[in-house]
Amino acid sequence: MMSGRQVRVSFVIPLLLAAGACVPEGGAPKAANAVPPVVSPAVPAPQQPAPPATKITTDLTAPRITTGTATYRCGNGGTITIQNLGTSLRVVGQEGAIEEFAASPANQSSRYQAVTHDAIVIDGREALVMKRGSTPQTCTR
């Protein structure tokens, strides 16, 4: 019995000592390799030009300009045609009624609201159409 406990303790103590040696007293981590790499002073390292800096600018305040027309089939069996004008939508309903929807808020391109408080949310190939006083319906391209 005693030899089994000695074997376990003999494995645990060196592991704890090794872990304690890795943690410095000041709290800063130790370097993994304190020896600097050997560089031959006779052969200079080849100089490569630095790649040009690429600056990516994303202006979230400007709406995306995507114009186009798509026809959507709705859950009630009807269809609507949506013309995307960039900052607004023109929607032609089943009966031929035309309604204008402005981006809401103005700096995005997925949520639109009409003066009548109707709203449309475009998400990929789907449009969620919300009419005042009726259940929202999903229309698909």
Side-chain angles (χ1 to χ4, degrees), residues 57-133:
T57 305
T58 303
D59 185 4
L60 298 177
T61 61
R64 290 184 294 181
I65 299 175
T66 55
T67 59
T69 303
T71 301
Y72 291 80
R73 284 189 203 97
C74 300
N76 63 357
T79 60
I80 60 170
T81 301
I82 298 177
Q83 183 179 8
N84 189 341
L85 304 173
T87 58
S88 64
L89 298 178
R90 182 174 296 133
V91 179
V92 180
Q94 271 184 233
E95 299 83 30
I98 297 174
E99 192 171 10
E100 298 282 332
F101 290 78
S104 176
N107 64 345
Q108 55 76 48
S109 60
S110 62
R111 295 184 309 264
Y112 298 88
Q113 185 172 359
V115 185
T116 60
H117 297 290
D118 294 346
I120 293 181
V121 178
I122 307 284
D123 185 18
R125 299 184 60 81
E126 292 186 346
L128 179 63
V129 180
M130 295 166 276
K131 296 264 186 198
R132 189 174 193 176

